[in-house]
């Protein structure tokens, strides 16, 4: 959690530890949202560090602004930047970082409004529904 605070700017809002001070559950705020951080508490829960670096989930955090500075903060804290900040065809600027346990985090920031039709044309994809 110290690393998540330093690298990504999360703030602790709840931390639950057992009698040995081992993390059981934690919640960390970021803007209007929050994430839950747990330890490997059951056989079906593993950190990427325990399974050869494989990720089975995707975490996307949308920033209002300051994406490039956020990336530099993460890099300075030791994040492995696996995708440098870049503008995307769907109107977002994003970067990806790997934390010390191997979790991959995607941070994104809206930079322009793009219609579904334009995103389909630019991406060569078929899109049902749209978030704008």
């Amino acid at each position: 959690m110290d690393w998540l605070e330093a690298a990504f700017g999360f703030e602790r809002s709840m931390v639950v530890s057992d009698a040995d001070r081992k993390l059981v559950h934690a919640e960390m705020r970021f803007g209007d949202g929050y994430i839950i951080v747990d330890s490997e508490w059951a056989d079906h829960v593993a950190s990427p560090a325990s399974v050869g670096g494989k990720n089975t989930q995707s975490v996307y955090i949308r920033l209002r602004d300051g994406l490039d500075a956020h990336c530099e903060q993460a890099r300075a804290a030791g994040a492995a930047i696996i995708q440098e900040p870049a503008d995307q065809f769907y109107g977002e600027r994003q970067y990806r970082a790997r934390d010390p346990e191997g979790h991959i985090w995607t941070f994104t920031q809206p930079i322009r409004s793009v219609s579904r039709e334009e995103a389909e044309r630019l991406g060569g994809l078929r899109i049902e529904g749209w978030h704008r």
Side-chain angles (χ1 to χ4, degrees), residues 1-3 16 23 62 78 84 88 93 97 99 122 127:
M1 289 187 304
D2 291 340
W3 191 89
V16 180
L23 176 68
R62 179 172 275 163
E84 292 290 335
Q88 305 299 316
R93 184 165 177 78
D99 72 22
L122 293 173
I127 302 170

Side-chain angles (χ1 to χ4, degrees), residues 1 4-5 14-15 17 53 65 77-78 85 87 102 108 111 115-116 126:
M1 289 187 304
L4 291 172
E5 287 175 325
M14 182 192 329
V15 178
S17 303
D65 55 31
D87 296 351
T108 184
I111 54 172
S115 70
R116 180 183 55 79
R126 181 173 176 262

Side-chain angles (χ1 to χ4, degrees), residues 79-124:
I81 306 303
I82 60 174
Q83 178 191 344
E84 292 290 335
D87 296 351
Q88 305 299 316
F89 70 89
Y90 44 84
E92 303 277 327
R93 184 165 177 78
Q94 74 179 26
Y95 81 93
R96 286 192 172 91
R98 181 177 286 118
D99 72 22
E101 287 193 14
H103 299 279
I104 296 174
W105 300 77
T106 301
F107 290 89
T108 184
Q109 169 188 325
I111 54 172
R112 69 183 185 93
S113 182
V114 174
S115 70
R116 180 183 55 79
E117 294 80 11
E118 182 181 2
E120 284 182 327
R121 182 177 52 76
L122 293 173

